[in-house]
Amino acid sequence: MASLPINYRYTVLFMLLLSVISSQCGAQLSSTFYDSTCPNALNTIRTGVRTAISRERRMAASLIRLHFHDCFVQGCDASILLGDSSSIDSEQNAINNFRSVRGYEVIDSVKSQLEGICPGVVSCADIVAVAARDASFAVGGPSWTVRLGRRDSTTASRSLAESNLPSFRDSLDRLISLFGSKGLSARDMVALSGSHTIGQAQCVTFRDRIYNNQSVIDAGFASTRRRQCPATGGNGNLAPLDLVTPNSFDNNYFKNLIQRKGLLESDQVLFNGGSTDSIVDEYSKNPSKFKSDFAAAMIKMGDISPLTGSAGQIRKVCNIVN
């Protein structure tokens, strides 16, 4: 009987420890995170994004992609924004990012404005996440509630960027596996791939597809794309990922896949006799389902391994550690 109080105390301590661990694992993100500390944060980000997209429509796709390429490496921690330094080999130099990921200057501009009204409060990681949502909505895509409270990393990893980001040559199995490793389902992967309804790709990423007669590709579409992408040279020449409505967020991307008009190999593998054909077919017929699934997948992606609490820092300038 004398041992019961001791066991009881251990039980209470154990439960308290579990509670602490649980709260830490809960990511501690909240849509109202800045309501009291920086109430104009979301409006400031929205205005900056809209201004950038009004100047260049393509920026909408770039800001969505920036969020994606950040979250898939170390989690959603703004590591992709860090430039080279004595201790950092920038993720921007990774093969899937170099001279293709864009929008850094938009994030920098918004961050500068926020530092002017509430210094040291809003993280670069949260700016990237909100900017992706606002970019989607600005071109006709869905909006969603962004949970906030991410903090910025003090490290980056070019090697992880090289291994964790999908490639334009990836097979369906590889894509499903890669997204699965981040807690995203095959449906999430197909929905997120639908962001290719806007934006452009460089010739070097689709040359093999339009010149390889073994590829599953519509002949007329391949011929059209060859006009801007010669067999040699012109690696940086751009072509819209969606030839039909390249500047509007809609479901034409999926209709293109059914017609064998996916620009990248990693696009067309989503509809090529595999397990995701039915999802592509569903989205091609039901644009509202695509948009709702896209929003849900973006929320899940935004929750990948965020730094919260006292982890990381709030950078004063997004491309350097404080």
Side-chain angles (χ1 to χ4, degrees), residues 61-136:
S62 297
L63 290 171
I64 293 172
R65 186 168 184 249
L66 181 64
H67 183 37
F68 173 81
H69 280 229
D70 179 38
C71 290
F72 264 54
V73 183
Q74 296 190 171
C76 306
D77 61 358
S79 59
I80 194 172
L81 303 181
L82 290 173
D84 279 327
S85 72
S86 58
S87 61
I88 292 174
D89 187 4
S90 177
E91 293 169 19
Q92 297 174 22
N93 297 326
I95 189 169
N96 287 346
N97 292 331
F98 187 65
R99 293 183 179 176
S100 67
V101 171
R102 307 166 70 245
Y104 303 117
E105 71 282 2
V106 178
I107 305 301
D108 289 342
S109 175
V110 169
K111 176 62 173 175
S112 177
Q113 294 175 57
L114 289 172
E115 285 298 299
I117 61 176
C118 45
V121 174
V122 183
S123 69
C124 300
D126 276 346
I127 296 172
V128 171
V130 175
R133 185 271 309 273
D134 292 344
S136 168

Side-chain angles (χ1 to χ4, degrees), residues 140-202:
S143 184
W144 54 90
T145 300
V146 179
R147 299 201 304 151
L148 304 164
R150 300 168 190 80
R151 289 170 64 84
D152 302 322
S153 69
T154 57
T155 63
S157 177
R158 177 178 176 176
S159 62
L160 284 179
E162 299 276 10
S163 62
N164 285 9
L165 291 171
S167 163
F168 59 87
R169 292 193 177 96
D170 279 347
S171 66
L172 179 59
D173 287 345
R174 165 66 177 163
L175 290 172
I176 291 174
S177 175
L178 186 57
F179 278 71
S181 71
K182 306 299 179 183
L184 298 167
S185 67
R187 177 173 286 270
D188 293 328
M189 182 270 290
V190 175
L192 290 171
S193 297
S195 63
H196 284 183
T197 185
I198 53 175
Q200 302 185 59
Q202 296 181 4

Side-chain angles (χ1 to χ4, degrees), residues 13-25:
L13 287 172
F14 180 69
M15 294 304 293
L16 285 173
L17 180 60
L18 282 180
S19 177
V20 170
I21 293 173
S22 176
S23 66
Q24 290 175 341
C25 294

